[in-house]
Amino acid sequence: MVSLILFGSFFVLLLLNVPIGLSLGISSVAALIAENLPFSMIPSNLYSSTGKFVLLAIPFFILGGNVMEKSGISARLIDFCRTLVGHRKSGMALVCVIVACFFAAISGSGPATVAALGMILIPAMVKAGYDKGDSAALMSTAGAIGIIIPPSITFVIYGSVTGKSVGSLFASGIVPGILMGIFLVFAMQFVSRGRELVLLPKASGKERWAAFKEAFWGLLMPVIILGGIYGGIFTPTEAAAVSALYGLIVGLFIYG
């Protein structure tokens, strides 16, 4: 009976377009009422489920990614990659994969990576001669690297639930994440065969150096996060807080 009330009320609320989080809360309270359980256990259960130091890394990593986007760090990373590989065949596809790997190594989130970069890179790829479907598919797949490459929010949740070392989980995702990016590049090289793509003019050494100086602080962010974790300087949660603070300082005082 309790299960029927729990799941039944949940699905009814979903059909009424009630937000999922609110639906979960209301259905859980309804089940407690049906079981005549004391409401005093709700705060303690709520805190025990969410009051974990490791889980604090999730909002901090997402905040760091949002700060990067709003402060223009992600746009500077894109410009720097364009100067490096934009003149090559499938240059914009290469830019998409490379920047997605960098951004994933900062935000740890696939959706955040796609949201931050898609608005810039998908129109740029379409302009370069790619289909809209191929461009959106590449951006979505490249964003999925954020689930694997450290610091992955998925690994943080898994480590919190199973008690595994989050740092060790991060280390296990480095090689698969890089391989995923490499194979995406090969796939786009295959897809691009026979297409007339718009190639960017080859950037001069001076232009590349100028773009590197602009993107330097963004390129330094993954080094600080991962270097601090593997160097034993701070925990993954502390690294997430440092990334958010670092992005805020760079955005406010360096890029203005």
Side-chain angles (χ1 to χ4, degrees):
M1 184 62 181
V2 176
S3 298
L4 179 61
I5 294 175
L6 177 64
F7 293 105
S9 59
F10 174 68
F11 287 115
V12 168
L13 290 169
L14 287 182
L15 291 174
L16 295 175
N17 290 327
V18 178
I20 293 178
L22 193 57
S23 299
L24 288 171
I26 294 175
S27 59
S28 300
V29 172
L32 288 176
I33 295 174
E35 276 287 286
N36 293 319
L37 295 176
F39 283 94
S40 58
M41 63 185 299
I42 296 178
S44 59
N45 286 342
L46 181 63
Y47 178 77
S48 63
S49 300
T50 59
K52 297 181 179 179
F53 181 71
V54 175
L55 293 180
L56 288 174
I58 297 175
F60 279 125
F61 276 131
I62 294 177
L63 176 61
N66 288 335
V67 169
M68 272 194 63
E69 178 192 2
K70 299 300 182 183
S71 61
I73 298 177
S74 57
R76 288 173 170 84
L77 288 176
I78 293 173
D79 290 338
F80 175 57
C81 291
R82 278 175 175 164
T83 62
L84 293 179
V85 297
H87 62 283
R88 298 181 178 273
K89 183 75 172 179
S90 305
M92 284 308 303
L94 291 172
V95 171
C96 179
V97 174
I98 294 171
V99 177
C101 288
F102 267 105
F103 199 90
I106 296 169
S107 67
S109 170
T113 301
V114 175
L117 304 178
M119 295 294 292
I120 302 174
L121 287 175
I122 292 178
M125 290 185 64
V126 172
K127 186 177 180 180
Y130 292 95
D131 294 334
K132 289 183 178 180
D134 291 340
S135 303
L138 177 63
M139 188 70 255
S140 301
T141 310
I145 298 176
I147 303 175
I148 301 173
I149 202 166
S152 167
I153 289 177
T154 304
F155 286 166
V156 172
I157 297 174
Y158 181 84
S160 173
V161 173
T162 62
K164 301 292 184 180
S165 169
V166 177
S168 299
L169 291 172
F170 283 173
S172 68
I174 295 177
V175 175
I178 294 175
L179 288 176
M180 187 175 177
I182 292 174
F183 282 118
L184 273 178
V185 171
F186 287 152
M188 289 309 297
Q189 291 282 354
F190 177 79
V191 170
S192 303
R193 290 189 306 175
R195 294 188 180 183
E196 294 185 5
L197 300 177
V198 179
L199 303 181
L200 297 176
K202 186 175 182 179
S204 64
K206 184 177 180 180
E207 291 173 331
R208 290 177 178 177
W209 176 246
F212 171 76
K213 289 191 293 183
E214 284 292 316
F216 172 76
W217 299 104
L219 296 172
L220 192 61
M221 203 168 182
V223 177
I224 293 175
I225 296 172
L226 301 179
I229 294 174
Y230 299 132
I233 301 174
F234 35 64
T235 65
T237 302
E238 293 168 345
V242 168
S243 70
L245 180 62
Y246 174 83
L248 190 62
I249 292 174
V250 170
L252 288 176
F253 299 106
I254 297 179
Y255 293 144

